[in-house]
Amino acid sequence: MNMYDIIFSRKSIRSYYQEAIDWDILEDILNFADSLPMLTKDIKVEFKLISNIEQNQGFNGPFAVRAPYYIVFSSEKKDDYLLNAGYLMQQLSLYIETKELGTCFLGAASPGWGLKKTMRFDYVIALAFGKSKVPLYRDAFLAKRSPENELVVYKEEVSSDIRKMLEAARLAPSAYNGQPWRFVVYKNRIHIFAKKNPWFAKPLYKLKMIDIGIMLANMLIAAEELWLDVKLAKSDSVMNKSFQNNEYVLTLLIG
């Protein structure tokens, strides 16, 4: 399966064999990571491979996953750096899964201070991966996701390819399965929104914007697979409007 196919069949894996992976495969994964174009221009990032086989690397928290390997992502803090982090790491996750390895985002787990000190930039998120103890794939209908009618408002009739792209977006993983994305869809553009957090949940903003980046990766991979010409933009007219339950993120233009 290619990365587009994986979108519709993947699941997060939390149970791994503590076994080494051939260095050729690890090197290929790192080379892929380094080749990824940024969603946000002029931002410096680092992908750091961590082996957890011989020594526990200290990911903490109730949602930590013990895996043989982690890829830790750090970044400069610039505009949309969280979107960029999710966008890059989801592509890397899907690529790793084409190697018949499992992955799981560690959105709510934090690396220990010793590991953080080795990173070039500010820690953003990590990805656990390795040989899975459980089946890697499942049918798309088994994914616990909100139905399309809760996520998408169609303003015009659209093509089947745009609907496929939105289905790829719907299936994206998110922290606590929160699925913060919302869409307003026209023939030639998709406005992307994020659900507003209540005042007491402001700390979740970081995870929400990473999630939106993860979802964007799914959308753009689907667009490439379906030969759709797309680009990202920000609409001043939408940005200047106030919405009760959602906040505007950006617009996907379909040419």
Side-chain angles (χ1 to χ4, degrees):
M1 290 191 288
N2 64 17
M3 290 167 60
Y4 174 72
D5 297 326
I6 294 287
I7 287 172
F8 299 93
S9 61
R10 71 162 301 282
K11 62 181 181 181
S12 297
I13 301 298
R14 295 176 174 84
S15 181
Y16 296 91
Y17 294 106
Q18 294 299 114
E19 294 181 4
I21 295 171
D22 289 345
W23 173 247
D24 288 348
I25 295 175
L26 296 175
E27 187 176 38
D28 182 56
I29 290 168
L30 291 173
N31 287 338
F32 177 83
D34 289 337
S35 73
L36 287 169
M38 299 292 140
L39 187 70
T40 303
K41 293 182 179 179
D42 301 322
I43 185 169
K44 295 178 182 178
V45 304
E46 180 188 42
F47 298 91
K48 189 177 186 69
L49 176 66
I50 304 296
S51 173
N52 197 45
I53 298 173
E54 296 179 358
Q55 182 179 354
N56 191 323
Q57 294 295 328
F59 275 88
N60 304 310
F63 299 99
V65 174
R66 186 168 186 266
Y69 297 96
Y70 304 110
I71 290 183
V72 179
F73 182 86
S74 63
S75 172
E76 291 183 308
K77 287 186 174 181
K78 292 187 174 181
D79 289 347
D80 293 333
Y81 81 99
L82 296 172
L83 291 179
N84 186 61
Y87 172 73
L88 296 174
M89 289 293 274
Q90 173 65 354
Q91 291 179 78
L92 185 57
S93 174
L94 293 169
Y95 185 74
I96 290 171
E97 287 160 0
T98 67
K99 308 293 184 183
E100 298 187 347
L101 299 170
T103 70
C104 183
F105 282 104
L106 301 181
S110 177
W113 178 245
L115 180 53
K116 279 187 177 181
K117 288 197 299 184
T118 69
M119 300 176 198
R120 291 181 61 196
F121 309 108
D122 289 282
Y123 171 72
V124 182
I125 195 168
L127 184 72
F129 73 98
K131 297 176 183 178
S132 174
K133 289 184 176 180
V134 299
L136 286 174
Y137 309 118
R138 49 101 179 102
D139 292 327
F141 72 88
L142 294 174
K144 295 179 181 179
R145 300 291 189 272
S146 297
E148 183 191 62
N149 61 10
E150 293 183 9
L151 305 176
V152 183
V153 174
Y154 289 101
K155 294 294 190 179
E156 297 175 340
E157 186 58 40
V158 301
S159 69
S160 60
D161 283 345
I162 290 177
R163 288 181 180 270
K164 288 177 184 176
M165 190 165 57
L166 288 162
E167 178 65 4
R170 189 182 73 87
L171 290 171
S174 57
Y176 310 109
N177 202 25
Q179 304 163 66
W181 38 78
R182 298 293 185 267
F183 309 96
V184 177
V185 183
Y186 295 83
K187 287 181 181 179
N188 64 347
R189 64 196 184 278
I190 299 172
H191 296 309
I192 299 171
F193 296 82
K195 288 193 300 183
K196 288 182 179 178
N197 295 120
W199 65 269
F200 56 82
K202 290 297 184 183
L204 296 178
Y205 177 82
K206 175 182 175 180
L207 291 177
K208 178 177 71 175
M209 299 314 292
I210 293 171
D211 289 342
I212 297 293
I214 289 170
M215 177 276 297
L216 280 172
N218 275 18
M219 291 190 82
L220 295 181
I221 289 169
E224 182 176 4
E225 180 75 14
L226 299 166
W227 292 85
L228 294 175
D229 184 19
V230 300
K231 64 179 181 178
L232 300 177
K234 294 196 178 182
S235 168
D236 290 337
S237 62
V238 181
M239 194 181 304
N240 292 329
K241 292 181 180 179
S242 177
F243 302 92
Q244 182 176 356
N245 298 316
N246 301 297
E247 57 184 306
Y248 173 69
V249 179
L250 48 76
T251 297
L252 194 64
L253 301 174
I254 305 165

